[in-house]
Amino acid sequence: MAGVIVLSDLEESSNTDILQGTRLQTVPAGGFLTFEMQAGENNATNNCTVSIQMPNGDTPLNNVQIPGSNPAGSGIIDDRQKLMITLPIAQGGHTVFSVVETGSLTFAWRVTYTPA
């Protein structure tokens, strides 16, 4: 049985498939994926949008603008401001997690897989 897997990183440019090439490229067993996201800024000049497409084609997030943080705390996922969503996931398949950045900013993310 698979255990908990936690991945996190900072993106400084758009990325069409964040989970590609990671331990969560394919989910090892049924369970849940929790996505936590925070942008360094969220204004007309500097912002980012995120999409999540599940293996069955569902898109629970489609170009959703991500909340910004205090610019002094860029790269920090703040529990008071982050966007978080937990989604059920079946074994196998590939979830596409993508970000489109506008302007100059940092996008912080963490994905946690929890087995059922």
Side-chain angles (χ1 to χ4, degrees):
M1 178 171 188
V4 172
I5 299 172
V6 180
L7 304 175
S8 65
D9 206 350
L10 299 174
E11 303 292 328
E12 294 185 349
S13 61
S14 296
N15 188 335
T16 59
D17 197 351
I18 292 171
L19 298 179
Q20 180 69 35
T22 71
R23 292 179 62 206
L24 290 178
Q25 177 174 319
T26 303
V27 176
F32 299 91
L33 289 177
T34 300
F35 296 81
E36 298 171 84
M37 301 160 277
Q38 183 100 40
E41 294 183 54
N42 183 10
N43 56 50
T45 306
N46 299 307
N47 61 74
C48 65
T49 60
V50 164
S51 296
I52 297 173
Q53 182 177 19
M54 304 304 287
N56 67 358
D58 288 349
T59 53
L61 295 183
N62 190 16
N63 293 319
V64 174
Q65 196 155 345
I66 301 303
S69 64
N70 177 335
S74 183
I76 296 172
I77 298 177
D78 185 335
D79 284 342
R80 300 167 300 168
Q81 300 173 320
K82 70 183 177 184
L83 176 63
M84 184 172 103
I85 185 170
T86 299
L87 303 165
I89 185 82
Q91 180 177 2
H94 176 66
T95 299
V96 179
F97 174 37
S98 61
V99 61
V100 175
E101 294 187 8
T102 301
S104 176
L105 66 123
T106 300
F107 170 67
W109 61 269
R110 178 171 43 237
V111 178
T112 303
Y113 162 75
T114 307

